[in-house]
Amino acid sequence: MLNIIEFVTENVLLNLKFEVFLFFWLAASQVTSKKFSRSQLCEILKDCKGKSLEEKYLFLEEKLMKITNCPEEKKNVLSHSLKFFKSDYKKKWIKASYQDERFIKNNENWLSSSIELPYWPVKPTTTLKPGRPSKAFKELSDCSKRRKTKDLREQVSVEELTYAASVSQRTSGNNNAAKLIKYVTTTPTRATKCRKLITTAQKQLITKNLHHKRH
């Protein structure tokens, strides 16, 4: 019992915020999406000096690759997401007899609507500053940990943070920690009971250590 309690106090409580922060940081690194109105895309097509639709579409994709931060190896993903827009545009452009004014007049609703395209957020670059090297999260003081996780705690609910911490502990191989987090957060009374057990066990441990020192 004492071993489990020591594990909670030394590992779970100290590393909980770090595990949660890491979990959400990884989630934030995934590809997101961004809305573009069809009129925006058509304006980009107008800027192309080429006359054929193939040239215009190629120009559009190159522009959007820069806007969405699309990596070269993901170009096919962006191109596929434009498939229906390009098909619709071609039909409507032909129907308007390749006349811009008629095209706009006949497709006001279509132009004002939006489509979602994949967006690759730019990862923030960290610059090394001269002076004292940065400490690992677990080496920071409680005040520094609070400051570092302030945005995370304000933006994410307690339930999500707790669940993320439990899952993160489990995936890291800390099954006991994951079970304990789930156990103590199921009902408010369980957390109180566990705290009393920890306090009692710590007192017993101190008494035991003092007894050994005397003998």
Side-chain angles (χ1 to χ4, degrees), residues 21-70:
F21 180 82
L22 181 61
F23 178 88
F24 281 95
W25 182 84
L26 290 172
S29 66
Q30 302 300 314
V31 177
T32 59
S33 62
K34 188 174 183 178
K35 285 187 176 182
F36 291 84
S37 68
R38 289 181 171 86
S39 60
Q40 283 180 286
L41 302 182
C42 289
E43 286 298 321
I44 295 175
L45 289 172
K46 286 182 185 179
D47 292 337
C48 178
K49 295 180 180 180
K51 294 183 178 181
S52 68
L53 281 178
E54 288 73 18
E55 289 177 302
K56 290 180 180 293
Y57 290 158
L58 182 61
F59 180 81
L60 175 65
E61 289 183 13
E62 289 177 350
K63 284 286 185 180
L64 287 174
M65 281 186 69
K66 295 179 181 179
I67 296 173
T68 61
N69 304 313
C70 177

Side-chain angles (χ1 to χ4, degrees), residues 94-193:
I94 293 173
K95 191 175 181 179
S97 302
Y98 309 102
Q99 295 183 22
D100 191 53
E101 289 185 7
R102 184 180 296 178
F103 175 80
I104 294 173
K105 184 178 180 181
N106 293 344
N107 302 286
E108 289 182 359
N109 292 334
W110 183 77
L111 289 168
S112 62
S113 59
S114 301
I115 64 172
E116 287 194 5
L117 297 177
Y119 180 77
W120 289 263
V122 177
K123 294 181 180 179
T125 56
T126 55
T127 54
L128 296 176
K129 296 181 179 180
R132 185 184 301 176
S134 58
K135 292 182 179 180
F137 184 84
K138 63 182 180 181
E139 296 176 354
L140 297 175
S141 65
D142 187 65
C143 182
S144 297
K145 289 178 180 178
R146 287 176 181 273
R147 184 169 57 252
K148 194 166 186 177
T149 59
K150 182 176 181 293
D151 291 340
L152 180 65
R153 289 182 285 107
E154 290 178 350
Q155 296 172 12
V156 184
S157 68
V158 174
E159 291 78 11
E160 289 177 289
L161 289 173
T162 304
Y163 179 78
S166 177
V167 172
S168 185
Q169 288 285 355
R170 188 182 300 111
T171 54
S172 299
N174 300 327
N175 292 326
N176 287 334
K179 290 178 181 178
L180 284 169
I181 292 172
K182 184 177 181 180
Y183 177 81
V184 298
T185 55
T186 302
T187 59
T189 55
R190 286 184 176 179
T192 303
K193 289 179 181 178

Side-chain angles (χ1 to χ4, degrees), residues 2-15:
L2 286 175
N3 290 335
I4 295 176
I5 293 172
E6 288 175 3
F7 181 85
V8 174
T9 55
E10 294 178 7
N11 291 279
V12 179
L13 298 180
L14 290 176
N15 295 328

